[in-house]
Amino acid sequence: MLALFAARPARRLLGSRSFTTAHSPRRENIGILKAYGKPVATIFLWSALTYMSLQAVWNTLYFDEIKLETEAKIDDLHAELKRLEHS
């Protein structure tokens, strides 16, 4: 009877954690993330901040240009209106 139990292959228990071995790919990925995660995140955040800052500057300059063009057009229309009133 004891020989029947010894001949069976060992079953994995439900609570066993196979991902905690030293050579598992999951642990290697965590090491890579710890090594390169902070520099990559820093570069990403600085590039996003730079992009948003440049976008804000570009929008400001663009709308200032549109405002100047609109004011010039309004001044031209006022001048034409005065010219038509005096005719």
Side-chain angles (χ1 to χ4, degrees):
M1 188 72 155
L2 198 52
L4 289 176
F5 291 113
R8 280 191 191 170
R11 290 189 305 172
R12 225 178 246 223
L13 298 176
L14 292 176
S16 67
R17 301 183 307 184
S18 62
F19 60 87
T20 58
T21 60
H23 300 292
S24 72
R26 192 170 184 153
R27 184 173 291 277
E28 290 173 7
N29 289 341
I30 291 173
I32 291 171
L33 183 64
K34 282 185 179 179
Y36 297 109
K38 189 172 181 179
V40 169
T42 302
I43 289 172
F44 175 76
L45 290 174
W46 276 111
S47 62
L49 178 66
T50 303
Y51 173 78
M52 289 188 283
S53 299
L54 291 174
Q55 187 72 28
V57 168
W58 183 85
N59 282 336
T60 302
L61 293 174
Y62 179 72
F63 288 118
D64 286 346
E65 181 182 351
I66 288 177
K67 183 179 177 182
L68 290 174
E69 288 174 358
T70 306
E71 287 175 355
K73 191 173 183 179
I74 289 172
D75 290 341
D76 290 343
L77 290 173
H78 279 290
E80 185 177 346
L81 184 62
K82 284 184 182 180
R83 185 182 56 84
L84 290 173
E85 285 177 351
H86 293 304
S87 296

